[in-house]
Amino acid sequence: MDAIIKARGVQKYFGTFHVLKNIEFEIKKGEVVCIIGPSGSGKSTFLRCINQLEQIDAGYIAIDGEIAGYRREGNRLFPLPDHEIARQRQAVGMVFQKFHLFPHRTVLQNIIEGPVGVQKRPRQDCVAEARALLKRVGLADKAESYPGELSGGQQQRIAIARALAMKPKAMLFDEPTSALDPELVGEVLAVMQELAAAGTTMIVVTHEIGFCREVADRVLFMDAGMIVDTGTPAEILEDPKNPRVRNFISAVL
C-alpha cells in the first residue's frame, strides 16, 4: 500500500539552527505512529512541516502522492500559489497543544466553520455531521456552549472534532494533552484511542508512553533533529537497543 504521508531528505533551519536533519519517514493508511523524544528535538516542527505551517529547506513531503507546496513538471518543481497550499492543507487535520477555538462562536459554529466556509459544503449536511462528531467525542450536549464554558479536556475534544469535520486523510496531534490538568488527560486519550481503533491514520507527538504502548503501530524516537530509532512499541519502549533511547525511556517511566 502506498504511503499517505512520505518525507524524503527533509531539512529545516531556523536561521543557522539546523532543526530537522535528513528526515526519512512514511505512514500508510490506517497506521498510528507515535513520535517521542526530548523537548527541542524537532518533533513538533516536523508536524508543522507536514501541515505546511513551516516551509522545509530541502527534500520533500508528499501527501497521498502529491508533493506538499509544489507541482512537478518533468524534473522541475514549481511553488504552488497560496490557494493551492490551502487546498493541500485540508488533507491533514492538526490538533495542537492549545485548542485554538474561536471563543466568540459556539461549539457547533467552531466545528462547521471549515466545512462550510472553506470546503463550501452544504450547511445542513455539515451541521448533521458536526452533531455526529460531538456524539463521537462524548459532547453531544455541548453544541450550543461556548469554549469558555468548557474544561480544557472538553475543549481539546472539540478541537479533535473540528479537525475531523474536514474529512482529512490523516490526523496530526502535537502533544494534545500537554496543556491539560492531569485528571483531564484520560478523556482526550480515550477519544484518540477510539479514532485509532476505527482505522484513522494518525501521527502523534506525545510524552504519554502508556498511550504509545497501547495504541501505536510504530514508535519513532527523535533527538537533535534526527530520527534516532524506530520500531514497534515493544522494541522501542520495552527493550530499546539504542543507548540514547534507553536513557530517555528509563528517565520518563
Side-chain angles (χ1 to χ4, degrees):
M1 183 185 298
D2 291 337
I4 291 291
I5 298 172
K6 180 186 295 185
R8 290 291 181 266
V10 170
Q11 311 277 355
K12 173 65 181 175
Y13 290 84
F14 289 134
T16 59
F17 181 51
H18 200 174
V19 187
L20 297 177
K21 305 171 183 175
N22 197 39
I23 298 295
E24 301 277 330
F25 170 86
E26 62 182 54
I27 182 170
K28 293 179 171 58
K29 184 177 181 180
E31 254 194 312
V32 178
V33 175
C34 286
I35 304 178
I36 63 172
S39 297
S41 59
K43 307 183 301 294
S44 295
T45 299
F46 180 47
L47 289 196
R48 290 176 65 85
C49 289
I50 292 172
N51 202 32
Q52 300 191 67
L53 298 173
E54 299 285 352
Q55 189 172 14
I56 64 176
D57 296 304
Y60 72 88
I61 295 171
I63 300 170
D64 202 16
E66 195 174 349
I67 297 176
Y70 295 89
R71 76 176 193 279
R72 184 189 296 276
E73 291 186 9
N75 293 323
R76 299 183 65 189
L77 294 177
F78 297 88
L80 290 175
D82 289 345
H83 72 276
E84 280 293 303
I85 290 175
R87 177 190 60 78
Q88 286 187 337
R89 194 176 282 139
Q90 295 175 40
V92 287
M94 189 151 179
V95 178
F96 300 88
Q97 297 176 32
K98 301 292 186 179
F99 323 122
H100 298 304
L101 300 174
F102 296 116
H104 59 291
R105 294 181 178 169
T106 67
V107 163
L108 185 66
Q109 289 168 340
N110 266 276
I111 295 173
I112 68 172
E113 172 73 17
V116 174
V118 177
Q119 295 180 332
K120 308 301 182 186
R121 287 157 48 196
R123 180 183 178 86
Q124 184 175 353
D125 294 349
C126 294
V127 168
E129 290 170 8
R131 292 190 183 281
L133 286 169
L134 283 171
K135 183 176 180 180
R136 187 174 182 183
V137 301
L139 294 170
D141 60 334
K142 300 297 184 182
E144 304 307 322
S145 299
Y146 287 87
E149 300 171 335
L150 307 178
S151 70
Q154 290 172 329
Q155 289 187 61
Q156 192 62 295
R157 284 187 278 160
I158 297 302
I160 293 171
R162 180 182 59 181
L164 290 169
M166 299 293 283
K167 301 184 182 297
K169 296 175 181 178
M171 288 283 288
L172 313 179
F173 294 85
D174 185 11
E175 298 191 28
T177 60
S178 66
L180 300 178
D181 292 333
E183 66 268 24
L184 302 178
V185 168
E187 64 190 52
V188 174
L189 293 181
V191 170
M192 295 170 63
Q193 286 178 307
E194 187 275 328
L195 293 178
T200 306
T201 307
M202 298 166 58
I203 306 175
V204 185
V205 169
T206 185
H207 293 294
E208 299 289 342
I209 300 301
F211 176 84
C212 296
R213 185 182 291 115
E214 293 178 25
V215 177
D217 297 302
R218 284 187 289 136
V219 177
L220 271 63
F221 181 86
M222 287 187 68
D223 190 24
M226 296 180 289
I227 297 176
V228 175
D229 204 359
T230 182
T232 65
E235 291 167 339
I236 301 299
L237 304 178
E238 308 298 338
D239 187 25
K241 300 297 189 293
N242 185 289
R244 178 67 186 94
V245 181
R246 190 162 55 245
N247 289 340
F248 177 85
I249 296 299
S250 66
V252 299
L253 289 181

